[in-house]
Amino acid sequence: MFKKFDEKENVSNCIQLKTSVIKGIKNQLLEQFPDIESWLNHIMPKKDPVKIVKCLHVLLFSPQTALLQTERRTILPNSQTQVDKGAIKFVLSGANIMCPGLTSPGAKLYPADADTVVAIMAEGKQHALCVGVMKMSADSIEKVNKGIGIENVHYLNDGLWHMKTYK
């Protein structure tokens, strides 16, 4: 999705959100992730402005914190999965995650439905490589073990990663 991301072409506008909209986002985060309450003021400090950069919804809470919002209104990954070591270079090049990379030794596939937003971890690594959307349920991926299992939406070092900070 962001392999050819270019700010001049892909960013149409940057809007600061009203307090009422920010409260709605906070409520949505709390509903989706009840355990986040103690961290919410660290993620979205009360005095910092929240902006939407219009390209896909990217919520900017501060120069260090940005979250993706999809058309299905999911703000954060609901789940995570792990690819094997052999998939790392492909994922970091923007490739979608194929089913065999999710079912091989070294990979971990957790229960998730199709269209679930997931964080993609890698065997032997501490941090996520990318954020993706399940194209099939975890059960289907295990049964079929062929084709695209997860669509790579945003990965480390892509165009969105290098996007400048909006003030």
Side-chain angles (χ1 to χ4, degrees):
M1 183 174 205
F2 294 107
K3 295 174 192 114
K4 297 178 183 173
F5 185 87
D6 179 8
E7 291 175 55
K8 292 177 184 170
E9 291 180 22
N10 298 103
V11 175
S12 62
N13 203 357
C14 180
I15 301 169
Q16 185 166 328
L17 297 179
K18 295 179 181 179
T19 306
S20 60
V21 176
I22 295 169
K23 284 181 184 177
I25 292 168
K26 284 184 176 184
N27 289 336
Q28 185 181 354
L29 283 168
L30 287 169
E31 183 180 310
Q32 189 175 349
F33 302 97
D35 296 335
I36 202 172
E37 187 168 10
S38 63
W39 292 96
L40 200 53
N41 286 331
H42 296 287
I43 296 169
M44 297 175 68
K46 289 182 180 180
K47 294 183 181 182
D48 288 352
V50 176
K51 299 177 182 181
I52 288 185
V53 177
K54 292 207 176 182
C55 48
L56 102 152
H57 289 168
V58 179
L59 304 174
L60 297 176
F61 302 117
S62 68
Q64 298 82 24
T65 310
L67 302 174
L68 300 179
Q69 185 176 27
T70 70
E71 66 278 355
R72 297 194 195 296
R73 301 184 49 86
T74 301
I75 294 178
L76 295 171
N78 287 333
S79 182
Q80 68 179 28
T81 189
Q82 179 176 301
V83 294
D84 61 17
K85 287 180 181 178
I88 295 172
K89 69 178 179 180
F90 298 106
V91 172
L92 292 177
S93 296
N96 291 324
I97 294 91
M98 306 305 283
C99 292
L102 296 165
T103 58
S104 65
K108 292 180 184 171
L109 186 60
Y110 298 98
D113 295 328
D115 295 322
T116 300
V117 178
V118 293
I120 311 302
M121 310 302 282
E123 177 184 10
K125 303 296 179 190
Q126 183 179 3
H127 301 289
L129 300 173
C130 78
V131 175
V133 178
M134 300 283 289
K135 299 317 292 174
M136 305 180 211
S137 69
D139 290 340
S140 296
I141 289 171
E142 288 176 339
K143 288 176 188 169
V144 176
N145 202 23
K146 191 189 230 181
I148 297 170
I150 301 173
E151 179 185 1
N152 187 340
V153 176
H154 168 53
Y155 57 94
L156 292 176
N157 225 17
D158 67 2
L160 182 60
W161 182 269
H162 288 288
M163 189 172 78
K164 71 177 183 178
T165 301
Y166 280 83
K167 297 180 182 182

